[in-house]
Amino acid sequence: MSTGNSTAEPLPPVRDLSALRADFPILNQAVNGHPLVYLDNAATSQKPVAVIEAMDRYYRCDNANVHRGIHELSNRATATMENSRARAARFLNAARSSEVVFTRGTTESINLVAATWGADNLRPGDQILLTEMEHHSNLVPWQLVARRTGAELVFLPVTGDEGLLDLARLDALLTPRVRLFALTHVSNTLGTVNPVAELCERARKVGAVSLVDAAQSAGHLPLDVQAIGCDFLACSGHKLCGPTGIGLLYGRQEQLEAMPPWQGGGEMISSVDFHESRWNVVPHKFEAGTPNIAGSVGLHAAFDYLDAIGRQRIFQHDQELAGYAYERLTTLSGTRVFGPRTGRSGVVSFLLDDVHAHDLVTAADQFGVALRGGHHCNQPLMRKLGVPSTARASFYFYNTRAEVDRLIEVLREIRRFFGG
Amino acid sequence: MSTGNSTAEPLPPVRDLSALRADFPILNQAVNGHPLVYLDNAATSQKPVAVIEAMDRYYRCDNANVHRGIHELSNRATATMENSRARAARFLNAARSSEVVFTRGTTESINLVAATWGADNLRPGDQILLTEMEHHSNLVPWQLVARRTGAELVFLPVTGDEGLLDLARLDALLTPRVRLFALTHVSNTLGTVNPVAELCERARKVGAVSLVDAAQSAGHLPLDVQAIGCDFLACSGHKLCGPTGIGLLYGRQEQLEAMPPWQGGGEMISSVDFHESRWNVVPHKFEAGTPNIAGSVGLHAAFDYLDAIGRQRIFQHDQELAGYAYERLTTLSGTRVFGPRTGRSGVVSFLLDDVHAHDLVTAADQFGVALRGGHHCNQPLMRKLGVPSTARASFYFYNTRAEVDRLIEVLREIRRFFGG
Amino acid sequence: MFDDLADLYQQVILDHSKSPRNFHRLDPADRTAEGTNPLCGDNITVFLRMDGARIKELSFQGSGCAISKASASIMTESLQGRTLTEVKGLFDQVHDMVTTGKSPASDMGKLAVFAGVHRFPARVKCAILPWHAVLAALEGQVNPVTTE
Amino acid sequence: MFDDLADLYQQVILDHSKSPRNFHRLDPADRTAEGTNPLCGDNITVFLRMDGARIKELSFQGSGCAISKASASIMTESLQGRTLTEVKGLFDQVHDMVTTGKSPASDMGKLAVFAGVHRFPARVKCAILPWHAVLAALEGQVNPVTTE
Ligand SMILES: Cc1ncc(COP(=O)(O)O)c(C=O)c1O
Ligand SMILES: Cc1ncc(COP(=O)(O)O)c(C=O)c1O
Ligand code: FES
Ligand code: FES
């Protein structure tokens, strides 16, 4: 498994994690009269100055459209973008830069695969295996392509509140009828870290293609697409200190080459006639139109920033905080906490007595604590767990134990307020 | 016609256009030892400090994920994004904010319509009418959907070097078999400004839906979707002083509502079950996944910036510079200049003796003059004109007559260098 | 903070959310409709018995937050004997109040306790959800309605 | 500027681009292949007559910029009598030279005039285009090749 584990190599000497808060101007503000405690990192992370300034600099010095351009600024913009791609390939440990497609984010990456690989490979009666903990972004695209192709969705169950995949059911479900196994690396609701390398290997054994939704893992733990052995992997820049509007699709070279294009337009063609066109090589075949160039600059800076800290170190910190929060939440009376007790990522979902999650989150906000409440784009999982919604705290390297303490204190106040 | 014309109302008092150069830090640099003369605005425009700083501020103060969020930052982010949408609706004079979908840019907007409206409405034997001057982004998506649906592409011809639509052929081509007429407002190669309001009305008369590619017009002249009367209109932020990675699709409410969704994921759903989902209302139905929130902030700032100058004023300035360049180029011996003599936008394509466009552009870059050379994503048009490529100068409000003079001077040097 | 919170969750609201009135199914009902809030997935179903053009009896069921439950509960108390036109008028006033914070022109009785909602934009839909459902029921819509 | 320009467009290059050598069709040819540069849409077709494993005669046609035309012209002069292996070796050297600017290990003759190209990244494909075509022809590829 490439998710890192607690018997890790010694970490490189870096600044104290809490010192990194100074890199995030947004954290230094009062919300509703209280210091902001930002615990909504699974929705989106905050951005360090290094990322903000890299984009700023790009627009002030180097901005031009990429490819096809010959003048100096265009050369710089093209080099900038292709360097970001190479950096992304290193970040994911992809074998080649050409295996990295820039997209808007995880959602678009998955839609791209569903629309191209799916349309080309799925026949009536074929199965797509998902898990019950998938985000809508790794569910709805498959519903759409299933309807178009006559393929069928099957689901690997989740065990219950502790939120593990029911691997005992895998053999029965992962049959040769399964053409694709798409699953999340880290659950955005339960915090579960799935054994993706093992599961992708199981998929390969029945001849199924595998897709990993790495939205919640890419910025949080060491990631290695070759060690995972997936055919596709999707992630979003905005969840890993990068800007909004950019993300990645990793695809194995042979897969990408065999796929038809998706969107048509500039850059994705090699030649165009009135009635017919030929496609460019990968990854350009999948990048129609002007890409988010400044976004790729910010993403590059984010990769550098995270790797200077060390993803293993980030993972450990996330785990420590989440473990501490889990423990304190379970000892707080009247709570129901979801997800595995150990080995989890920095996401903790919970409920407090019969206070509705949205009432809880509104109240926490009055104390400056930013949580998320709702179905977290996991409606079917919510139904499975028998709850309409949960409250969720999600951590990143700039969060502290003191913030967890504050969360618990505020939850006590809230319970008191709602007369729990 | 809503393109503005030279008998315009008096312009509001604003700073002298050349004073606006100070808002664009990138323009104040030397390239290859010469002051930069940026004449590649049709590829992408430069960004004023106001736009750069608006995004900067967003990341430093307000960043969060939108919708579904309840805490203060998320409320701010959501309000920010929806204000940008309302601003975009005003910029285009759309009747409602819900008629504005955020996309990555023109290319994605057109692909969205082709994939959803096209798949739902095109049958074998139906026709899609395009023009011979379409950018690949308004051609290849239709080729793809035509192949899938059995529809057929037909083309309204371009007259020749002066680059007008051959309107005499319209009656013969725009028959009731045509289900959709998609055309560019302003040609990115020829500079032609097409009479889109008239052409959309003609389309309506035969029961065809109309789509206007406004990539080259949106930031350059007053635009009013209701006056144009189109069903769809597409444009890109990066060409109108906004950031990369964001653009707009305008669609008439009834059209958008009738269309199936495109990408699946968070935000575009109203409820999700394992096997089935219901869609959100428009425009959210078409915005799956986390959008480019910071991009929408930059776009908002760009709209404000442009409207403070006045689009009519920008159009006049573009026309003046292009007219001046056209005149000086035609009097330079050995040149072939494309596009209409009058009533054009700020785009001028030309060739110089038998110097290949790319050699010319490489050479001009050595003098600090940024031009574009190539097929400009107009390969079929190039073949029609009988040239492999052209060189192109494209102007914006921050360009000056002195820069046109410099262009001509540099072209003289280049001709001398290549021994023309 | 606590003040704002207390302003949003007034005692009446907390009370109605904990002990909602008319919180049951009417069977048979003349009219019924379900409303869903896509932001949270919550939904509320209203049941109506009519006396000609007037509402004779009114109840609701479903799951939701304190705001939506209290809103439904107080709404069922306020709409007995009203016509569609009257309900529409009240809806407009409530909508105005919870989006802008403007105090309503006429006396709204208990409905006025929702004035605090306007300072919580993400919660406006909660207050409005049951109203969408009741309008849909009165207007005879068949499909579930959403608050968008 | 003028210096860099003169370094890129050396006199030999300007000369070959204006009067390309072996600029005609071979008919019949033993091998032929077309190369396209997607950046500009230019293309060059090469024609080969073989003598066993060696190139006996070599020509080209097509449209392109000064760099690609000169590259094709000088290439046709340099490859007479070479085998596929030898052509590949030369290709690697040329490729290295135009991408990195490193001076080639062995004496490359006239091909060395393309050393200036490496300072113009957008033009590297121009210099390489005819080489892709000739390799494709020798390796018997059927589809048009691109420089990507
Ligand atoms: C006329 C026209 N249409 C479409 C496009 C594509 O725009 P984008 O690359 O921003 O998607 C362009 C820009 O290159 C254009 O000039
Ligand atoms: C597990 C998971 N998958 C997919 C997504 C979608 O990511 P995005 O909204 O950036 O496309 C998210 C984020 O919300 C997520 O948590
Ligand atoms: S949170 Fe669902 S209705 Fe209030
Ligand atoms: S510009 Fe086309 S090959 Fe050089």
Side-chain angles (χ1 to χ4, degrees), chain C residues 44-65:
Chain C
I44 276 177
T45 306
V46 297
F47 305 89
L48 304 181
R49 282 200 191 124
M50 304 299 291
D51 181 6
R54 295 198 179 274
I55 298 173
K56 194 169 74 192
E57 226 182 318
L58 176 59
S59 74
F60 80 103
Q61 278 204 314
S63 78
C65 61

Side-chain angles (χ1 to χ4, degrees), chain B residues 7 61 75 102 152 221 233 243 268 319 382 403:
Chain B
T7 67
C61 304
N75 284 341
F102 284 117
E152 183 190 324
L221 47 81
L233 181 140
M268 54 72 73
Q319 288 193 309
M382 293 291 128
E403 289 180 315

Side-chain angles (χ1 to χ4, degrees), chain B residues 356 358, chain D residues 37 40 42 64-65 68 123 126 129:
Chain B
H356 186 284
H358 278 208
Chain D
N37 183 345
C40 54
D42 289 327
C65 61
S68 62
R123 309 305 302 278
C126 304
L129 176 61

Side-chain angles (χ1 to χ4, degrees), chain B residues 6-121:
Chain B
S6 21
T7 67
E9 346 72 79
L11 295 167
V14 291
R15 293 150 67 198
D16 187 44
L17 283 186
S18 64
L20 297 180
R21 287 181 75 88
D23 297 338
F24 294 80
I26 198 170
L27 296 176
N28 186 23
Q29 70 178 293
V31 161
N32 292 318
H34 298 274
L36 168 64
V37 175
Y38 185 77
L39 302 181
D40 194 17
N41 292 289
T44 200
S45 79
Q46 298 304 341
K47 325 300 172 198
V49 167
V51 167
I52 302 172
E53 287 183 349
M55 295 188 283
D56 201 284
R57 214 159 35 237
Y58 169 76
Y59 282 130
R60 285 173 195 263
C61 304
D62 304 322
N63 174 65
N65 211 328
V66 292
H67 307 297
R68 294 172 203 293
I70 291 193
H71 58 78
E72 169 65 16
L73 293 188
S74 177
N75 284 341
R76 280 189 225 156
T78 305
T80 294
M81 176 117 194
E82 294 309 315
N83 283 342
S84 299
R85 195 192 304 279
R87 182 66 183 88
R90 277 206 313 286
F91 189 80
L92 303 174
N93 196 32
R96 302 174 196 76
S97 290
S98 55
E99 296 183 324
V100 173
V101 180
F102 284 117
T103 64
R104 180 171 31 248
T106 307
T107 302
E108 191 183 35
S109 298
I110 296 172
N111 276 277
L112 192 164
V113 177
T116 58
W117 182 93
D120 247 30
N121 290 280

Side-chain angles (χ1 to χ4, degrees), chain A residues 284-326:
Chain A
H284 307 291
K285 180 169 70 174
F286 298 109
E287 293 179 353
T290 303
N292 188 349
I293 310 168
S296 82
V297 172
L299 192 59
H300 190 153
F303 291 149
D304 287 347
Y305 186 85
L306 293 177
D307 280 346
I309 303 172
R311 278 177 277 168
Q312 183 57 41
R313 187 182 176 109
I314 293 171
F315 189 41
Q316 264 175 237
H317 180 80
D318 281 1
Q319 289 193 310
E320 269 163 38
L321 279 197
Y324 180 55
Y326 187 96

Side-chain angles (χ1 to χ4, degrees), chain B residues 46 109 159 205 229 257 293 317 409:
Chain B
Q46 298 304 341
S109 298
T159 52
K205 282 201 176 132
E257 281 177 358
I293 310 168
H317 180 80
E409 178 181 280

Side-chain angles (χ1 to χ4, degrees), chain B residues 18-261:
Chain B
S18 64
L20 297 180
R21 287 181 75 88
D23 297 338
F24 294 80
I26 198 170
L27 296 176
N28 186 23
Q29 70 178 293
V31 161
N32 292 318
H34 298 274
L36 168 64
V37 175
Y38 185 77
L39 302 181
D40 194 17
N41 292 289
T44 200
S45 79
Q46 298 304 341
K47 325 300 172 198
V49 167
V51 167
I52 302 172
E53 287 183 349
M55 295 188 283
D56 201 284
R57 214 159 35 237
Y58 169 76
Y59 282 130
R60 285 173 195 263
C61 304
D62 304 322
N63 174 65
N65 211 328
V66 292
H67 307 297
R68 294 172 203 293
I70 291 193
H71 58 78
E72 169 65 16
L73 293 188
S74 177
N75 284 341
R76 280 189 225 156
T78 305
T80 294
M81 176 117 194
E82 294 309 315
N83 283 342
S84 299
R85 195 192 304 279
R87 182 66 183 88
R90 277 206 313 286
F91 189 80
L92 303 174
N93 196 32
R96 302 174 196 76
S97 290
S98 55
E99 296 183 324
V100 173
V101 180
F102 284 117
T103 64
R104 180 171 31 248
T106 307
T107 302
E108 191 183 35
S109 298
I110 296 172
N111 276 277
L112 192 164
V113 177
T116 58
W117 182 93
D120 247 30
N121 290 280
L122 295 171
R123 303 277 166 276
D126 286 348
Q127 291 185 335
I128 300 165
L129 179 60
L130 306 171
T131 85
E132 285 185 346
M133 63 170 81
E134 296 313 312
H135 188 279
H136 294 167
S137 291
N138 198 26
L139 168 55
V140 181
W142 304 114
Q143 291 180 344
L144 292 170
V145 75
R147 192 173 312 166
R148 265 204 307 280
T149 59
E152 183 190 324
L153 303 187
V154 284
F155 293 88
L156 184 60
V158 166
T159 52
D161 279 14
E162 97 268 46
L164 296 171
L165 290 179
D166 188 355
L167 295 180
R169 300 288 311 281
L170 191 61
D171 270 336
L173 291 165
L174 189 54
T175 69
R177 281 183 65 193
V178 173
R179 300 297 316 275
L180 177 109
F181 185 13
L183 81 163
T184 196
H185 193 176
V186 169
S187 159
N188 65 309
T189 294
L190 301 162
T192 320
V193 181
N194 291 319
V196 284
E198 182 192 326
L199 294 171
C200 291
E201 198 189 331
R202 296 280 288 274
R204 211 159 40 245
K205 282 201 176 132
V206 298
V209 159
S210 56
L211 179 145
V212 172
D213 173 351
Q216 294 296 339
S217 62
H220 290 266
L221 47 81
L223 202 66
D224 178 334
V225 290
Q226 298 188 68
I228 293 175
C230 51
D231 292 284
F232 300 105
L233 181 140
C235 64
S236 302
H238 70 94
K239 292 188 200 276
L240 50 78
C241 290
T244 56
I246 189 135
L248 304 176
L249 171 65
Y250 159 81
R252 280 203 306 111
Q253 184 86 12
E254 314 83 88
Q255 293 290 4
L256 292 182
E257 281 177 358
M259 278 148 60

Side-chain angles (χ1 to χ4, degrees), chain D residues 22-76:
Chain D
N22 304 308
F23 188 58
H24 54 80
R25 205 183 163 79
L26 280 186
D27 198 4
D30 295 324
R31 306 272 175 96
T32 176
E34 185 191 352
T36 302
N37 183 345
L39 254 70
C40 54
D42 289 327
N43 57 74
I44 275 177
T45 305
V46 297
F47 305 89
L48 303 182
R49 282 201 190 122
M50 305 299 292
D51 182 7
R54 293 197 179 275
I55 297 173
K56 194 169 74 190
E57 226 183 318
L58 176 60
S59 74
F60 80 102
Q61 278 204 313
S63 77
C65 61
I67 310 286
S68 62
K69 261 199 190 143
S71 174
S73 173
I74 294 173
M75 180 187 82
T76 56

